């Protein structure tokens, strides 16, 4: 019996050891280890994140209209000599341009006016052009055009014994010539009217051809300038009160043309040149100019205004300020005259005295409002402050003065 107990104990121990071993060998619910990604990646119960390409912003080029580069004008402070500053289309009447010295070729003859002709003049009909000097174009010259045709007449007093006349009050005679001087010999009689002499459309003279007997006078010498001109004799439908008709008669047209060594420079004040009437300027354009400097006034420097005021009651009537006559508590002010702005104020003391010292650049005056008294502060040159005294006349009730 005693030997059986140890055997049973050994068997029990073996059975318990076997049971323990089986329990340890069989995994329980609590001992199951969940595989991790690192240990068992194929048994991961969740989907693995698949790397995907992330969209990025891509710059897209858009075609836009681009303006062509232009030059930017750079302003200049002052115009230079190469810059056009002022353009004047017409020189206004009354503007005088001083003459400048001009060099002339050697042998040039300067004349103030065409020379006076000495008759008889050479007949242009007998000479081939060019005509130099004075020449006479008779009334029957082929290039003189009459409208309507004028009637030729014979006279021993006419040039070459013949002239042309018309009874039309508005008839014309036209002649083209080249030269600088012009003179017309016409017919004067009792039945002659008035006519105009025009060159290039500009009327040079109006002739009254009335005379008490038949005559062949000449006009003044007209300077018309060099070049080709058009002279016209035309009736104007007028006559002298003593005339019997409107007849116009032409004897000869006399023309002066200078040679290459003759130059006519008439004085500015004495000329019969057919010049167009002066007209206002067509256009004056200011292209650029330096800025106009405006005048600036010099500011008046500020100054120190000093003043003393004494207000006293002249009790004894001696017209002076005696002790114990000062009036205290009176308001005194300094104001600017232009703006009426108070720049200083004060009250008199027991002596009736108050002083001011202010800085201002405007005219100022001292005002005592209670008594209506004012003084203009003078600009004194000395250092002493000006004193202003208000002396009150004696009264029966001095106690009314505050």
């Amino acid at each position: 019996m005693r030997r059986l107990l140890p055997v049973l104990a050994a068997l029990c121990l073996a059975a318990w050891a076997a049971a323990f071993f089986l329990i340890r060998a069989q995994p329980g619910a609590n001992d199951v280890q969940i595989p991790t990604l690192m240990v068992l990646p194929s048994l991961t119960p969740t989907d693995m994140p698949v790397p995907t390409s992330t969209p990025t912003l891509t710059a897209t080029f858009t075609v836009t209209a681009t303006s062509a580069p232009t030059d930017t004008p750079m302003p200049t402070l002052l115009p230079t000599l190469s810059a056009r500053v002022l353009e004047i289309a017409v020189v206004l009447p009354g503007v005088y341009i001083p003459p400048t010295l001009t060099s002339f070729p050697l042998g040039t003859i300067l004349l103030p006016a065409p020379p006076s002709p000495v008759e008889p003049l050479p007949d242009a009909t007998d000479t081939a052009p060019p005509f130099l000097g004075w020449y006479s174009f008779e009334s029957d010259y082929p290039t003189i055009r009459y409208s309507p045709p004028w009637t030729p007449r014979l006279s021993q007093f006419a040039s070459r014994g013949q002239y042309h006349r018309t009874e039309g009050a508005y008839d014309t005679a036209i002649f083209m010539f080249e030269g600088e001087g012009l003179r017309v010999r016409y017919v004067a009689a009792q039945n002659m009217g008035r006519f105009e002499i025009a060159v290039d459309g500009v009327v040079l003279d109006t002739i009254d051809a009335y005379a008490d007997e038949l005559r062949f006078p000449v006009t003044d010498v007209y300077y018309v300038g060099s070049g080709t001109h058009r002279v016209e004799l035309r009736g104007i439908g007028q006559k002298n009160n003593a005339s019997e008709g409107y007849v116009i008669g032409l004897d000869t047209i006399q023309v002066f043309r200078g040679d290459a060594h003759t130059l006519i420079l008439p004085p500015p004040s004495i000329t019969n040149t057919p010049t167009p009437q002066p007209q206002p300027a067509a256009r004056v354009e200011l292209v650029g100019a330096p800025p106009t400097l405006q005048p600036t006034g010099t500011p008046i420097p500020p100054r120190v205004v000093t003043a003393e005021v004494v207000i006293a009651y002249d009790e004894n009537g001696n017209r002076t300020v005696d002790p114990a006559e000062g009036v205290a508590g009176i308001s005194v002010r300094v104001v600017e005259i232009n703006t009426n702005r108070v720049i200083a104020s004060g009250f008199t003391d027991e002596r009736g005295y108050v002083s001011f010292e202010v800085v201002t650049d405007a005219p100022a005056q001292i005002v005592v409002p209670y008594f209506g008294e004012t003084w203009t502060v003078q600009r004194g040159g000395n250092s002493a402050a000006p004193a202003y005294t208000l002396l009150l006349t004696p009264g029966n009730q001095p106690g009314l003065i505050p």
Side-chain angles (χ1 to χ4, degrees), residues 317-329:
N318 60 354
R319 307 298 300 172
T320 59
V321 180
D322 297 329
E325 290 186 349
V327 180

Side-chain angles (χ1 to χ4, degrees), residues 10 13 54 85 135 140 149 158 168 211 240-241 259 305 313 320-321 328 337 341 348 356 370 402:
L13 290 175
T54 304
V85 176
Y135 268 82
D140 59 350
N240 193 291
N241 293 333
D259 56 12
V305 177
Y313 176 75
T320 59
V321 180
I337 296 178
R341 182 173 63 92
T348 57
F356 300 97
Y370 186 82

